[in-house]
């Protein structure tokens, strides 16, 4: 998708100027979530609430009215709903209040600790600052002195318009041309490396995310998890990597035909780094794979095609969900409560030889379907070729679908996918910002593309590292005249996601994750309802906005659901071992000596596994991975190869039947030898534990030494070099690494704690 600078001025006044259409809703509506009330789905709070829909008599047909309705929808986002899904995901249910508008004087209703308070609100230009009274007290120095959060948007590219709107809503300060002094937040349009000179603050991209989310790497990461947890990771279609696994793929198709001659399976071939449907085609025979020869061979993934997707209006559609990875260590994941659905433009039929090439029937990509004459641009959220996810959920709920279960399955798919990606991301992170080197901390919005099968099972299609954040689309306004016009559906969803991501990354958040009292947050949009609730002091920001903005549209799912998913983090624990032995020079590959050191320190070598076999294992696996990744930039064993070696070692040592048990048991052995399961602890905790242990160990060694030799001083004991592979040697090295790492992680912790 090309970048262009289209100026679409955010119109913050529309909602208020369209006063006629605004309806004052003063009653509180609680969505009934009992099965009998399946017509009231647990729609995300940012969805036009039932109150908004019922209360407005505005027809959706006219563009202006639809637009004003869509603004209403945004306002309604301040409503809050609560529905417990199978994993306890809560979507808000309180529907808030709207503003009265009477002769320029707005009567504000604030729900506060169960009471509805009324107060007058002053209109100042085009913004309305609505806060509890005490925040306006002159004595509140903190508020007056607070500097706005600064955002460098010079590299934002296509997300610029939505970003500008978000910054404006937050009353933060934008630096469109960059800034000589450091900014709090850097917004990159493509990658972490859009600007390589950042040494502090926060960047909206992780190093390595683009690589990790290419189709081959994503397939590999999910395959590894599938090997360990076949039941849990069955949401990704079976995939083969081309050209490497062409023979296996071919054999698989032959096998399927032998077992059931009538079964006509279809497969989809996707180029490794393709996007927007580019280069994708469907096949039914292995021979139909278009493999170029030799070095021209284009890497791709061939994947089982989901033949029976869920249809709406006879059309195939997919879901785009926005997911914020707020931090890797400890892992923090948020899911946007609202997403988009993208529809095909030709009625769906199960694949047959005649329709395999019908792009508008099989591929849901917006970029492709928008070229079809059947594409419907609509300002309504529930019609047209691009709709909100919640409108689709409403529709499904009206047909009796258990949408709580659908949501719950989607959330669990997202968490499992991120868990699969994190280990490799940590390696990239350490390589790009080596311990000791000053650097920013990172966060990233990802775009998850999900298909629902006819049986309502969510299937992951891909994860986008750079989901489009455009809020405008090209439209033919007169014959042959094209213009970029604002897309209300995109705007409604994407501006919230960006704005609330920024709110969560606010450097002023205190250690409980509270937003700052006022100044760093901004004014409410016109017509926004403030819902303040008294709550315990450690509430997450999404539960306690407290800054005059609508309730966050992003919902924390991790660490919230850590307990349910922690057992899946085996590869993450393997990555922690890998990182310990990697060293701190920005490497991503383990050399043969480091691998031997790992074996020795974990005491894995014995008569069944002499060091000579260890060397052979290393050479074998490393060679194979070097050939398959076609990446000779750096020699050595990467994390994926290390994981494979670990699986092999686990299989040799353990008699357990399941790979996951074998791996868990080997991890325990290794962690016990390396001082306990540090990986289960956050970095900071691990560091202090490590430091405390090495300190007490040092003291114990000193005591032992002084007992043995009364003449030796305690300081002399520290001069004894430890044996090459005593646990102390790597521990001290690690301790050193982690001290450096701690300084690197400093800014993040500061952000959370200040
Ligand atoms: P790209 O990054 O090029 O958009 P995707 O993996 O998203 O590649 O695939 C493009 C489209 O192809 C998807 O939006 C979806 O409609 C369809 N598609 C992809 N994989 C499958 C699959 N396994 N089964 C059915 N449809 C698929």
């Amino acid at each position: 998708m090309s970048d262009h600078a289209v100026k679409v001025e955010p119109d913050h006044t529309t909602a208020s100027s369209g006063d006629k259409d605004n309806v004052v809703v003063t009653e509180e509506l609680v969505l009934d979530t009992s099965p009998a009330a399946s017509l009231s789905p647990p729609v995300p709070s940012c969805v036009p609430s039932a109150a908004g829909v019922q209360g407005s008599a505005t027809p959706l047909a006219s563009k202006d009215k639809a637009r004003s309705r869509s603004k209403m929808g945004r306002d309604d986002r301040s409503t809050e709903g609560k529905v417990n899904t199978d994993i306890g995901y809560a979507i808000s249910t309180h529907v808030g209040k709207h503003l009265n508008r009477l002769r320029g004087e707005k009567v504000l209703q604030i729900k506060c600790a169960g009471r509805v308070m009324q107060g007058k609100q002053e209109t100042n230009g085009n913004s309305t600052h609505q806060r509890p009274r005490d925040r306006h007290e002159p004595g509140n120095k903190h508020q007056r002195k607070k500097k706005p959060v600064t955002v460098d948007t010079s590299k934002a590219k296509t997300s610029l318009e939505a970003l500008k709107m978000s910054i404006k809503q937050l009353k933060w300060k934008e630096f469109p041309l960059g800034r000589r002094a450091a900014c709090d937040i850097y917004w990159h349009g493509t990658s972490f490396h859009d600007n390589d000179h950042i040494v502090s603050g926060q960047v909206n991209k992780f190093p390595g995310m683009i690589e990790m989310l290419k189709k081959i790497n994503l397939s590999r990461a999910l395959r590894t998890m599938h090997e360990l947890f076949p039941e849990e990771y069955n949401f990704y279609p079976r995939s083969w990597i081309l050209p490497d696994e062409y023979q296996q793929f071919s054999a698989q198709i032959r096998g399927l035909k032998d077992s059931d001659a009538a079964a006509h399976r279809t497969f989809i071939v996707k180029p490794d780094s393709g996007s927007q449907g580019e280069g994708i085609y469907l096949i039914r025979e292995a021979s139909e794979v278009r493999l170029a020869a030799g070095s021209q061979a284009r890497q791709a993934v061939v994947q089982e095609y989901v033949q029976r997707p869920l249809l709406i209006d006879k059309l195939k559609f997919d879901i785009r969900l926005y997911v914020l990875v707020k931090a890797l260590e400890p892992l923090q994941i948020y899911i946007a409560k609202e997403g988009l659905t993208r529809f095909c433009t030709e009625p769906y039929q199960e694949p047959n030889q005649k329709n395999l090439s019908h792009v508008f029937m099989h591929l849901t990509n917006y970029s492709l379907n928008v070229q079809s004459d059947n594409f419907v641009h609509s300002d309504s959220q529930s019609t047209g070729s691009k709709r909100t996810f919640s409108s689709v959920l409403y529709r499904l709920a009206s047909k009796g679908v258990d949408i709580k279960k659908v949501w719950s399955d989607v959330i669990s798919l997202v968490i499992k996918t991120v868990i699969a990606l994190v280990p490799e991301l940590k390696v990239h992170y350490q390589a790009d910002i080596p311990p000791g080197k000053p650097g920013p901390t990172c966060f990233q919005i990802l775009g998850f593309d999900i298909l629902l099968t006819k049986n309502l099972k969510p299937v992951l299609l891909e994860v986008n590292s750079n989901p489009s954040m455009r809020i405008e689309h090209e439209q033919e306004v007169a014959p042959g005249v094209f213009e970029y016009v604002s897309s209300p559906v995109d705007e409604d969803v994407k501006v919230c996601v960006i704005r609330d991501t920024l709110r969560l990354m606010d450097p002023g958040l205190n250690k409980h994750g509270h937003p700052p009292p006022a100044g760093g947050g901004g004014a409410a949009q016109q017509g926004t309802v403030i819902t303040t609730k008294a709550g315990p002091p450690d509430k997450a920001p999404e539960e306690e906005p407290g800054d005059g903005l609508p309730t966050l549209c992003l919902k924390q799912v991790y660490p919230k659901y850590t307990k349910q998913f922690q057992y899946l983090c085996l590869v993450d624990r393997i990555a922690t071992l890998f990182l310990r032995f990697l060293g701190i020079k920005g490497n991503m590959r383990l050399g043969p000596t480091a691998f031997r050191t790992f074996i020795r320190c974990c005491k894995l070598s014995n008569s069944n596994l002499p060091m000579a076999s260890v060397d052979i294992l290393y050479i074998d696996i490393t060679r194979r991975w070097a050939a398959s990744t076609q990446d000779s930039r750096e020699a050595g064993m990467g994390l994926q190869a290390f994981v494979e070696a670990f699986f092999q070692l686990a299989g040799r040592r353990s008699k357990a039947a399941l790979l996951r048990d074998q791996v868990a048991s080997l991890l325990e052995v290794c962690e016990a030898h390396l001082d306990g399961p540090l990986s289960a602890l956050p970095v900071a905790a691990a560091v202090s534990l490590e430091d405390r242990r090495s300190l007490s160990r040092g003291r114990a060694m000193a005591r032992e030494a002084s007992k043995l030799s009364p003449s030796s001083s305690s300081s002399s004991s520290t001069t004894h070099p430890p044996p090459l592979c005593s646990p102390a040697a790597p521990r001290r090295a690690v301790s050193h690494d982690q001290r450096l790492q701690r300084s690197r992680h400093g800014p993040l912790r500061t952000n959370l704690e200040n």
Side-chain angles (χ1 to χ4, degrees), residues 155-156 159 186-194 202-210 325 429 433 440-446 464-467 469:
K155 309 283 179 193
S159 52
Y186 296 83
W187 199 274
H188 289 181
T190 312
S191 101
F192 176 79
H193 295 289
D194 285 356
Q202 308 180 82
V203 179
N204 70 324
K205 300 281 187 251
F206 281 99
M209 190 67 95
I210 294 181
V325 179
Y429 193 87
I433 313 172
T441 52
C442 305
F443 62 95
Q444 189 153 354
I445 298 170
L446 304 176
N464 286 275
S465 56
N466 284 313
M469 284 296 172

Side-chain angles (χ1 to χ4, degrees), residues 82-121:
K82 258 197 175 48
V83 170
N84 292 321
T85 64
D86 293 358
I87 58 166
Y89 180 58
I91 306 171
S92 35
T93 39
H94 292 289
V95 174
K97 313 295 179 288
H98 293 237
L99 289 175
N100 271 331
R101 291 190 175 84
L102 295 167
R103 293 197 196 103
E105 188 185 74
K106 297 173 183 175
V107 178
L108 169 67
Q109 297 193 334
I110 301 171
K111 188 175 162 233
C112 186
R115 283 177 302 142
V116 173
M117 308 193 316
Q118 287 205 346
K120 283 182 187 170
Q121 177 210 355

Side-chain angles (χ1 to χ4, degrees), residues 11-20 22 68 71-72 74-75 101 525-527:
D11 179 6
H12 293 299
T13 56
T14 317
S16 57
S17 58
D19 285 349
K20 270 183 288 177
N22 278 342
S68 110
K71 291 281 180 193
M72 278 284 290
R74 240 195 325 269
D75 297 344
R101 291 190 175 84
Q525 274 177 267
Q526 290 242 346

